[in-house]
Amino acid sequence: MSATEVVNIMPDVAAQVLAPFTWIFAVALFATMWQSAAMGANDIGNLFGTSVGSRVLTVRMACILASVFITLGAMALGGQVTKIVGKGIVSWTDFQEIPSLYMLGMFTSALSAGMFLSLATWLSVPVSTTHAVVGATIGFGLVELGASGIQWWPGVGKIVISWVVSPLLAGVFASAFYLTAKYWICNPGANGAPRQACCSIGFIGIA
């Protein structure tokens, strides 16, 4: 009987089996807190760097807005991404007999990503937090299971595709908004058009 079946059928027995590994959960909790703080510290530059650089927002305002909306986004839409990173990269079913190794691997992934992101932030280098987390998870999976233990498709494959597509789509959207602002707002055709255009673009941005 696998550890997963034990958890489903005999939760009391499972608790006794996993009790010696409670320390992994405890230290992993602090590692994920460190990782989250490092991700926020580095990502805030990506999120609000343009707004602060153009003096639309102060650094304090950017930090307040980031703490509010990053939390809301994680609570509302972060579940699916968490599932992909947690179960869609490493073949977790290979750890059914030894779930403690899976716990240990995920702990080391969080710790490694947090260390790298902290170093990058200290050096004032904006990096991709997704690259760091995915790379760390793939690293532990390769060490323990080899290449066959990684879900290259659709798991890793779709993530890599998103890395290629996302900057291209962002560039297209940015070009469209820039041209709209330049020729519609800066050169209004009728009275009141600039204010209406600003309201429209602001509404789209909030949405």
Side-chain angles (χ1 to χ4, degrees):
M1 181 180 296
S2 68
T4 303
E5 293 172 334
V6 171
V7 171
N8 294 332
I9 300 175
M10 297 177 289
D12 294 336
V13 175
Q16 295 178 2
V17 172
L18 295 176
F21 309 106
T22 304
W23 68 271
I24 300 179
F25 173 79
V27 294
L29 184 62
F30 286 100
T32 51
M33 289 180 181
W34 179 14
Q35 179 191 7
S36 300
M39 292 175 69
N42 198 278
D43 277 345
I44 192 172
N46 300 327
L47 295 172
F48 291 100
T50 53
S51 300
V52 174
S54 61
R55 298 187 179 181
V56 174
L57 297 174
T58 64
V59 175
R60 176 176 295 182
M61 292 171 61
C63 291
I64 294 173
L65 290 173
S67 63
V68 172
F69 288 102
I70 289 176
T71 302
L72 290 176
M75 294 175 62
L77 302 172
Q80 189 62 30
V81 177
T82 302
K83 185 184 299 183
I84 292 175
V85 174
K87 295 183 178 181
I89 298 176
V90 176
S91 181
W92 65 276
T93 55
D94 293 336
F95 292 91
Q96 289 187 352
E97 300 295 335
I98 42 175
S100 58
L101 284 183
Y102 189 71
M103 296 167 60
L104 184 63
M106 286 302 181
F107 156 64
T108 55
S109 298
L111 182 63
S112 302
M115 292 175 63
F116 168 74
L117 293 171
S118 297
L119 177 62
T121 303
W122 182 65
L123 296 174
S124 301
V125 178
V127 296
S128 171
T129 56
T130 306
H131 285 60
V133 175
V134 172
T137 306
I138 292 176
F140 120 74
L142 288 174
V143 169
E144 181 60 34
L145 301 174
S148 61
I150 306 299
Q151 299 186 40
W152 298 108
W153 186 263
V156 177
K158 287 187 175 181
I159 295 174
V160 173
I161 291 175
S162 72
W163 291 346
V164 177
V165 173
S166 57
L168 297 177
L169 285 179
V172 171
F173 291 149
S175 300
F177 280 122
Y178 174 77
L179 292 174
T180 301
K182 180 179 179 180
Y183 292 106
W184 189 23
I185 297 177
C186 296
N187 297 294
N191 293 332
R195 180 176 297 180
Q196 294 174 2
C198 288
C199 293
S200 300
I201 292 181
F203 175 79
I204 294 173
I206 293 174

